[in-house]
Amino acid sequence: MSPFLAFIDGFGGPELLLIMFVVLMLFGSDKLPGLAKGMGKSIREFKKAASGVEEEIRQALEDPPEPKKPAPIPAKPADTVPTHPPEEPPPPAPPAD
């Protein structure tokens, strides 16, 4: 038996007929096709999302992360870089008498 239908192992024909009858009574014959269509769409979307997540995880495990490079040090503009040492201030003037 397939793993998808493994939960039905304990159910027989009469039990399944009873469940189908109860569903028919709850939803009516005109709403059952729409209900089945909606369930099919939701199952399909769930499988698509699950396979997308699996693919992302698989790619993340296969691709090594890129090494991070240190940020380059910005160069100072040429007009602020001193080309010669700063001049010393002149000595103080002698006091006037």
Side-chain angles (χ1 to χ4, degrees):
M1 184 174 278
S2 73
F4 179 70
L5 299 175
F7 72 92
I8 301 179
D9 193 31
F11 289 113
E15 289 88 1
L16 290 176
L17 283 175
L18 179 65
I19 292 171
M20 292 168 126
F21 178 73
V22 169
V23 169
L24 180 63
M25 293 302 290
L26 288 175
F27 295 105
S29 61
D30 56 336
K31 300 214 182 216
L32 282 180
L35 180 67
K37 185 177 179 180
M39 286 180 65
K41 282 183 180 181
S42 63
I43 290 172
R44 192 172 337 150
E45 288 295 320
F46 179 77
K47 285 183 180 181
K48 187 169 42 169
S51 66
V53 169
E54 287 177 8
E55 184 64 29
E56 287 181 19
I57 292 173
R58 190 175 299 117
Q59 284 180 352
L61 291 176
E62 289 176 359
D63 297 338
E66 295 182 16
K68 294 184 179 179
K69 296 179 183 178
I73 300 172
K76 293 183 180 180
D79 59 348
T80 60
V81 178
T83 56
H84 53 80
E87 296 179 17
E88 293 184 23
D97 282 323

